[in-house]
Amino acid sequence: MHDAIRRPDDRSVSAAPATARAAAHAGEPRPDGAPAIIELRGLTKIFPTPGRDLTVFDNLSCRIQKGSFLSVIGPSGCGKSTLLKIICGLEPATAGQVRFDGRAVSDPPKGMIYVFQQYTKSIFPWRTVRENVEFGLRAQKTVSRAQARERCNQYISLVGLETYEDYYPYQLSGGMQQRVCIARALIGEPAVLLMDEPFSAVDAMTRAILQELVLKIWDKLAITILFVTHDVDEAVFLSTRIVSLGRAGAGIAQDVAIDLPYPRDQIATRAEPRFTALRQQLFSSIFVQEKTGAAPA
Amino acid sequence: MTRRWPGFLLVAILLLAWEYASATKLIDPVSMPRISVIAASWAKSIDGGALLQALLPTLGRIFAGFGLAVIVAVPVGLLMGSIPLVYRLLEPITEFIRPIPSSAYIPVAILFLGIDNEMKVFVVFVACLFPILLNTHGGVRAVDPVLIDTGRTFGVSPLKALWQIVLPAALPSILTGMRISLGIALIVAVVAEMIAGNSGIGYFILDMQRIFRVPEMFAGIFTLGILGFAINFVFLKLEGRLLHWRGTGAEA
């Protein structure tokens, strides 16, 4: 299954074992490294509000390398989710451009799939697990019925839901529903997966398990993942690179390469001094902003 | 069914009380004949075919008018719910026509369509239209934007999304509208039959009253009760089948 899912264009990674891949990720933020799959050019987003227009970001630019695991963190209300929605074309930018594979993004492009925080609202309750996952193949018309079924089985077992194929969402736990959404997103083999706080609504244990699952998938399928979270630990644990946004309008506060080795382990990685140091550095900067500039709730 | 016995017991007690009151002339046995007499005439009317003959045209009118209303109201409701311009276009008309009792159309409908089936089907259609339309519209409005965005991220075109995402998501609300309409359809069909024409259960009841065959009149009324109950029962079963994915066990 490993080889069946891997995209053919990914020679460099498929040849290398996971650890070698991780080493290649280490020096990520250098713009002269891997080619950029996504480029943000002077991105500006202004929400018109009655009193005063709210500038979420102003002239934001950033290059995202192919194959990276980039997390976006920042204080609440800084526009993390908005940024992700603009990147995948679900929301228009006020000015500036998102370029995906060299083309400007206006509508949701093929090759990018957004995974929503609210999985209970994103899953199709009238479809079984299999039918939900199969929906991810909609955009591809070249797949035969037999192939579709085979692919479904592959991705259902990739997220560990075999034997649940014929269950309806109401019969599943929250973690399982989000697994369905992830399988549905992956089956079309997108180049980029955008995840908006995907694990914020599941319990801590499930979250730890799903984090490992996402890392496993990222490694196996060699995709680029953009991940929004408010959880600094989660970001450090998962990412090759973390972009920390300042308060609304302030732009990128920090851009940090996470040089922890892969494969990462929930217990060993979190015990490393480097993990703690990175976490501390990022957490304190956000915490300070959150505390000083706390918006009247 | 087994948990419903208290309700059925109450019905049985009320019928027995009626029987007793009528037999002992506590109530006027001419206008309220004994239940046993009504039951006997009911059996005779069914057996002789008079009741069935009256029932079939009514059923035909109900389902024709209701079916047409579903065919028109569901697509229009979907469009109203998803395209603001369509909503702004149709909302004033809807709000104006909706409060008018459907029986008020009967005189107008007679002018244009006569007193036969066309008129009755039309009146049933108009009466069924609005509950389905408004519930479809409401159901579409209530579809979570996340669900729509999910379709968009998978590259589903707006037209396909209407069919693949909006319709199933709004289905519970649409079915509620349909169930309300079915109840109204029965009422309106009977009223229309009483006002004009010479067929259908509405006409049967009125006719029996005019010629003082009171037991037969009651037989007709009870038949309507049974019919309404049966339609609702079948519809709830259908609804439970269509919405089994909700897992709420909407059993009749």
Side-chain angles (χ1 to χ4, degrees):
Chain A
M1 190 178 95
H2 196 128
D3 286 324
I5 293 176
R6 199 189 294 282
R7 286 195 316 283
D9 61 335
D10 218 302
R11 271 163 276 124
S12 62
V13 179
S14 54
T19 43
R21 177 178 151 85
H25 280 303
E28 199 72 328
R30 279 178 287 114
D32 53 323
I37 189 165
I38 293 167
E39 207 184 335
L40 315 181
R41 288 186 185 169
L43 216 55
T44 301
K45 179 70 180 179
I46 299 167
F47 284 114
T49 50
R52 177 182 57 95
D53 285 354
L54 177 70
T55 305
V56 187
F57 19 85
D58 183 18
N59 202 15
L60 188 90
S61 293
C62 182
R63 290 164 56 87
I64 299 160
Q65 273 83 14
K66 193 166 187 213
S68 59
F69 196 128
L70 176 87
S71 288
V72 181
I73 58 173
S76 40
C78 72
K80 303 183 288 271
S81 299
T82 308
L83 179 63
L84 214 58
K85 282 206 168 126
I86 292 175
I87 291 175
C88 73
L90 284 175
E91 205 166 310
T94 310
Q97 212 181 40
V98 175
R99 297 186 75 82
F100 168 51
D101 256 345
R103 280 185 301 275
V105 171
S106 51
D107 278 326
K110 262 189 190 176
M112 275 196 196
I113 295 288
Y114 193 95
V115 176
F116 292 84
Q117 176 185 12
Q118 310 99 315
Y119 50 81
T120 48
K121 294 174 176 172
S122 177
I123 201 166
F124 299 121
W126 57 88
R127 290 171 169 264
T128 61
V129 168
R130 174 184 299 286
E131 289 163 348
N132 260 286
V133 173
E134 214 166 15
F135 187 87
L137 285 173
R138 290 283 132 159
Q140 299 176 329
K141 293 178 180 83
T142 51
V143 184
S144 75
R145 272 201 96 71
Q147 275 176 312
R149 206 178 164 77
E150 176 58 32
R151 287 263 285 277
C152 268
N153 290 339
Q154 256 174 42
Y155 282 90
I156 287 170
S157 65
L158 181 71
V159 297
L161 284 179
E162 54 277 75
T163 74
Y164 289 99
E165 287 97 338
D166 298 321
Y167 281 57
Y168 281 90
Y170 81 90
Q171 297 167 304
L172 305 176
S173 70
M176 289 159 94
Q177 291 186 15
Q178 190 59 299
R179 283 168 192 262
V180 173
C181 291
I182 291 170
R184 184 180 64 182
L186 289 171
I187 194 169
E189 304 188 339
V192 180
L193 196 64
L194 302 100
M195 308 183 91
D196 179 14
E197 304 202 26
F199 310 140
S200 61
V202 295
D203 63 90
M205 264 313 144
T206 309
R207 188 180 315 146
I209 290 163
L210 290 177
Q211 284 166 353
E212 285 202 331
L213 174 71
V214 164
L215 276 183
K216 184 183 100 185
I217 288 166
W218 172 70
D219 182 55
K220 211 172 204 173
L221 309 187
I223 55 179
T224 307
I225 295 184
L226 301 191
F227 197 97
V228 161
T229 178
H230 60 265
D231 181 349
V232 178
D233 281 61
E234 181 172 69
V236 175
F237 177 73
L238 294 171
S239 319
T240 58
R241 175 185 174 194
I242 295 177
V243 167
S244 171
L245 293 179
R247 296 205 66 80
I252 296 175
Q254 290 194 62
D255 191 337
V256 185
I258 306 301
D259 45 9
L260 294 161
Y262 288 91
R264 291 185 186 166
D265 180 90
Q266 286 289 10
I267 292 145
T269 304
R270 286 175 191 276
E272 283 184 39
R274 184 78 190 124
F275 179 92
T276 319
L278 284 163
R279 193 205 89 93
Q280 213 60 18
Q281 176 197 341
L282 289 157
F283 184 82
S284 57
S285 94
I286 294 173
F287 189 65
V288 166
Q289 292 182 67
E290 194 87 68
K291 228 175 153 181
T292 54
Chain B
M1 251 345 198
T2 47
R3 266 170 295 151
R4 295 181 138 204
W5 67 265
F8 286 110
L9 187 67
L10 180 64
V11 171
I13 290 170
L14 287 174
L15 289 178
L16 279 174
W18 182 337
E19 174 80 21
Y20 174 79
S22 181
T24 55
K25 297 204 164 66
L26 274 173
I27 50 175
D28 177 17
V30 177
S31 48
M32 296 285 274
R34 285 168 21 222
I35 287 297
S36 51
V37 174
I38 295 171
S41 72
W42 187 77
K44 219 172 75 191
S45 303
I46 290 279
D47 200 34
L51 251 179
L52 276 182
Q53 232 165 39
L55 200 58
L56 286 178
T58 308
L59 278 175
R61 287 158 192 157
I62 289 171
F63 286 109
F66 171 77
L68 284 172
V70 171
I71 291 169
V72 173
V74 171
V76 174
L78 284 175
L79 291 176
M80 267 178 91
S82 37
I83 306 171
L85 179 68
V86 177
Y87 175 75
R88 287 199 292 272
L89 198 68
L90 296 180
E91 194 254 1
I93 304 181
T94 313
E95 287 306 313
F96 176 72
I97 300 179
R98 188 170 64 99
I100 303 173
S102 0
S103 43
Y105 301 125
I106 296 174
V108 187
I110 291 173
L111 285 181
F112 286 97
L113 298 167
I115 59 167
D116 275 339
N117 274 329
E118 292 88 341
M119 178 276 278
K120 285 153 198 163
V121 170
F122 174 78
V123 174
V124 170
F125 162 76
V126 174
C128 289
L129 203 58
F130 292 100
I132 303 174
L133 186 67
L134 293 171
N135 275 279
T136 305
H137 172 253
V140 173
R141 298 296 302 163
V143 175
D144 200 288
V146 169
L147 211 55
I148 305 291
D149 275 348
T150 301
R152 288 179 63 206
T153 193
F154 284 101
V156 180
S157 70
L159 199 68
K160 274 190 174 166
L162 210 56
W163 174 251
Q164 288 179 350
I165 295 171
V166 176
L167 183 65
L171 191 62
S173 179
I174 295 172
L175 289 174
T176 302
M178 283 167 65
R179 195 147 50 81
I180 295 169
S181 280
L182 267 177
I184 295 174
L186 186 63
I187 297 169
V188 172
V190 169
V191 170
E193 286 166 353
M194 284 181 167
I195 289 178
N198 58 2
S199 65
I201 187 99
Y203 172 78
F204 176 89
I205 292 167
L206 195 67
D207 195 38
M208 291 302 122
Q209 187 256 335
R210 279 175 184 150
I211 58 174
F212 291 108
R213 287 167 68 180
V214 179
E216 280 82 356
M217 180 193 80
F218 274 109
I221 292 170
F222 284 136
T223 306
L224 277 180
I226 294 165
L227 180 66
F229 183 85
I231 289 176
N232 200 52
F233 181 81
V234 170
F235 195 84
L236 280 176
K237 282 279 173 213
L238 191 76
E239 202 174 73
R241 181 71 65 85
L242 284 170
L243 302 179
H244 68 286
W245 47 266
R246 289 203 298 187
T248 43
E251 293 292 278

